[in-house]
Amino acid sequence: MRADRGRALDRENPDRLYTITGGRAHAGSAAFDTVTLIVAEADPRPGMQSEHVKILRMARRPVAVVEISARLRLPVSVVKILLCDLLDSGRITARHPVAARTQVPDVATLEQVLIGLRNL
């Protein structure tokens, strides 16, 4: 990559980001992290903000927040604000990966598994 080419985000117009988020700086909910899967529950409707439409089209199949951010070329923080709008209106659901909800086995169980493997 040439040195004079900055990241697209570094060249982003702050006024555009302000307009996209309606002036909000933070998502109103902690419902999303970068690996949360987003699923559309409704089709776009006429008059919707173009970024909302793009998200709903992307999310016809489960898609991670970070992937939406990359495809839209918007910061994750801006995407989370847009997702909050869609979540509040019932147009999407957020699914957290199963691995994040499971508990890690205790040390004693892991030691027993290790002993069992060594005995094989």
Side-chain angles (χ1 to χ4, degrees), residues 28-120:
S29 169
F32 309 104
D33 58 27
T34 57
V35 295
T36 300
L37 296 176
I38 305 302
V39 179
E41 297 296 334
D43 290 325
R45 60 178 164 66
M48 287 184 84
Q49 185 174 333
S50 63
E51 290 81 11
H52 288 144
V53 171
K54 290 174 187 174
I55 291 170
L56 289 174
R57 288 181 179 154
M58 272 186 251
R60 287 183 177 143
R61 293 187 178 187
V63 60
V65 172
V66 70
E67 187 173 346
I68 294 170
S69 174
R71 286 188 191 175
L72 292 179
R73 295 179 175 225
L74 291 172
V76 171
S77 59
V78 170
V79 170
K80 287 181 180 181
I81 293 168
L82 295 171
L83 291 173
C84 280
D85 295 342
L86 293 169
L87 185 66
D88 291 346
S89 66
R91 302 192 83 70
I92 63 166
T93 55
R95 298 180 183 173
H96 300 281
V98 176
R101 289 186 259 155
T102 59
Q103 291 183 337
V104 177
D106 63 291
V107 175
T109 302
L110 293 174
E111 287 175 350
Q112 291 299 318
V113 170
L114 185 57
I115 290 169
L117 290 172
R118 286 183 181 155
N119 289 337
L120 288 178

